[in-house]
Amino acid sequence: MQVETDPREVGLCPDRLERIDTWMRGYVESGRLAGLSVSVLRGGRIAFFRAHGHADLARDKPFAADTITRIYSMTKPLTSLAVLMLYEEGRFQLDDPVARFLPEFAQMRVMTGGNRAKIETEPALRPITIRDLLTHTSGLTYGFMEATLVDALYRQNEIDFQTSTLSLGELVARLAQQPLLTQPGAEWNYSVATDVLGHFVAVVSGQDFADFMRTRILRPLGMDDTDFFVPEDKQARFAANYVFDRAGKLRIYDDSVDSRFLTPPPLASGGGGLVSTAADYLRFCRMLLNLGELDGVRLLGRKTVELMLMNHLPGDLAAMGQPRFAESSYAGIGFGLGVSVMLDPARAQILGTPGEASWGGVASTSFWVDPDEDMAVVLMTQLIPSSALPLRRELRVLTYAAIES
């Protein structure tokens, strides 16, 4: 990926952007990251791109713009895009009960107490809507949270969209048999909701979810290296994924040569199944900043993108639940249709702009788009979990500090 403009031409200070390069080198040279890349787009042009370190330490692969990484939950905004494309076709309304399309969700119950031997439940007060799924207010959860009895049930019943050998429809049906963590609409809880939306896309469109993503979104956007697995001819560009050992040293979490991402999965996870590159994901960001269009291809109308990037909660995340994950802070941050939305940088205690949308993945990848500043930033790396290092907050400060006009 080539820098397309002098940063000064888009109101960015070159010297301050160089601080990002110093920051990147520091993480690599200290051994805290194997490698990473940062892309900064402003005014429709790439004003900064750097890659440092290795995509695979053992095999001496350099990290580059076309390094293929596991983006995990950065899949969610793309799945949400698929849902909104069908919404624009008049297939449903956002306040429709999802059970209209997925009848297994028709009689949901909600946990009220109990213990592992017997969980007490009550009927859901209202149906789960499609908007609930898009905003993570459905009452669903994740098994890996390991914080509640419902989380434990997910683990016990193998509700895992990353590793399951069931089909997408079979696993969603099993999920619907579990109680909800909260009443629909009552709290914000990060969850498998976007995986349910992947199955919803398949049912509404009549097309396999992975095929829909490829034919309706990824290929039209020119995201040619983004998919639910890495084909053989691209595997030399696939990064290894790392974790810290007890001594604070990097060790392999998922190797690049025997990863499950090297073969087509039994099910395509709309919540975390994609691999991608910095160059590809920046194209998705460009489309959002262009209000639904890129290089003559329109995926969404302007008003739908604006709706996607609005806060759909009654307040911020802090008012809607307890922090249980690391992809965002809670105070001053709202949530739109598949992305977090900055409401108040002062409350969030970070540089930013009201209306800026973002999300990240568990391997420390991240992106944000800032319509007011006409700017997008993509961070690619491979370190689990995303809470291991404060990469996102540090990069936000470095990037926004470079704005001059």
Side-chain angles (χ1 to χ4, degrees):
M1 183 157 50
Q2 298 294 318
V3 172
E4 298 173 347
T5 188
D6 183 332
R8 299 178 188 86
E9 294 182 3
V10 290
L12 298 175
C13 173
D15 292 339
R16 286 175 172 250
L17 285 176
E18 285 301 316
R19 295 175 181 174
I20 300 174
D21 187 85
T22 302
W23 172 81
M24 295 170 71
R25 290 179 183 275
Y27 269 111
V28 171
E29 292 169 1
S30 67
R32 290 175 292 170
L33 289 176
L36 74 165
S37 71
V38 172
S39 314
V40 180
L41 179 84
R42 198 169 195 227
R45 292 177 284 176
I46 299 171
F48 179 91
F49 174 77
R50 298 288 167 80
H52 289 297
H54 292 86
D56 189 322
L57 290 167
R59 296 167 186 87
D60 201 31
K61 291 183 192 176
F63 211 100
D66 65 351
T67 292
I68 298 173
T69 63
R70 304 152 192 79
I71 62 171
Y72 291 114
S73 286
M74 280 168 60
T75 305
K76 288 180 171 70
L78 287 156
T79 301
S80 301
L81 169 63
V83 173
L84 292 174
M85 289 169 67
L86 294 172
Y87 170 63
E88 284 196 331
E89 294 174 6
R91 308 290 191 98
F92 58 87
Q93 294 299 303
L94 294 177
D95 57 358
D96 281 345
V98 71
R100 174 184 163 194
F101 304 91
L102 307 180
E104 54 266 45
F105 288 97
Q107 301 294 328
M108 298 304 294
R109 298 189 67 83
V110 181
M111 181 190 74
T112 58
N115 53 47
R116 283 178 179 260
K118 181 176 175 56
I119 294 180
E120 299 170 357
T121 66
E122 65 181 10
L125 297 177
R126 68 163 176 79
I128 297 170
T129 67
I130 297 158
R131 177 180 173 275
D132 290 332
L133 294 172
L134 285 163
T135 59
H136 292 285
T137 58
S138 63
L140 298 172
T141 183
Y142 263 123
F144 66 74
M145 296 293 191
E146 300 189 1
T148 73
L149 293 173
V150 179
D151 300 347
L153 269 183
Y154 279 34
R155 297 193 299 277
Q156 177 183 323
N157 292 297
E158 299 181 335
I159 309 296
D160 188 337
F161 287 85
Q162 293 291 307
T163 61
S164 180
T165 58
L166 299 177
S167 71
L168 184 54
E170 289 170 337
L171 190 54
V172 168
R174 180 182 292 183
L175 167 68
Q177 296 171 6
Q178 316 308 313
L180 298 176
L181 181 61
T182 65
Q183 289 287 344
E187 292 185 10
W188 190 92
N189 287 290
Y190 200 39
S191 73
V192 295
T194 316
D195 287 295
V196 175
L197 287 172
H199 181 48
F200 171 80
V201 167
V203 169
V204 171
S205 70
Q207 186 176 3
D208 175 80
F209 172 58
D211 288 343
F212 183 99
M213 294 293 282
R214 292 179 187 117
T215 60
R216 297 286 304 275
I217 294 177
L218 300 176
R219 301 305 167 253
L221 281 182
M223 298 176 67
D224 297 331
D225 288 327
T226 304
D227 209 324
F228 291 96
F229 75 103
V230 184
E232 186 175 357
D233 62 335
K234 298 180 181 180
Q235 289 175 9
R237 293 192 277 126
F238 189 42
N241 200 3
Y242 296 91
V243 67
F244 287 131
D245 63 20
R246 291 186 177 182
K249 303 294 185 182
L250 293 174
R251 66 170 175 83
I252 286 288
Y253 175 83
D254 184 41
D255 206 342
S256 65
V257 297
D258 61 6
S259 170
R260 63 181 173 83
F261 285 96
L262 299 181
T263 55
L267 65 83
S269 169
L274 287 175
V275 296
S276 189
T277 66
D280 270 16
Y281 212 87
L282 200 61
R283 292 189 63 78
F284 171 64
C285 295
R286 285 183 191 262
M287 182 275 297
L288 291 178
L289 288 176
N290 290 345
L291 297 174
E293 181 273 337
L294 182 65
D295 295 340
V297 175
R298 178 165 291 281
L299 298 187
L300 284 182
R302 175 175 67 86
K303 299 300 292 185
T304 308
V305 176
E306 291 174 351
L307 184 68
M308 180 183 186
L309 304 187
M310 291 176 183
N311 180 36
H312 286 252
L313 305 182
D316 62 9
L317 296 179
M320 289 287 292
Q322 298 299 314
R324 300 173 64 215
F325 79 115
E327 303 308 328
S328 171
S329 62
Y330 267 41
I333 305 294
F335 208 82
L337 302 178
V339 290
S340 66
V341 180
M342 175 68 76
L343 300 178
D344 186 343
R347 289 202 66 208
Q349 299 185 58
I350 193 70
L351 291 178
T353 308
E356 158 209 316
S358 66
W359 206 240
V362 72
S364 302
T365 59
S366 184
F367 86 100
W368 70 90
V369 293
D370 186 330
D372 280 3
E373 294 290 352
D374 196 11
M375 184 166 71
V377 178
V378 175
L379 165 67
M380 290 297 194
T381 189
Q382 296 283 264
L383 176 69
I384 283 183
S386 55
S387 58
L389 296 170
L391 300 173
R392 296 162 182 171
R393 292 181 70 82
E394 291 175 351
L395 181 57
R396 279 176 172 273
V397 174
L398 291 165
T399 305
Y400 277 114
I403 296 177
E404 292 188 317
S405 62

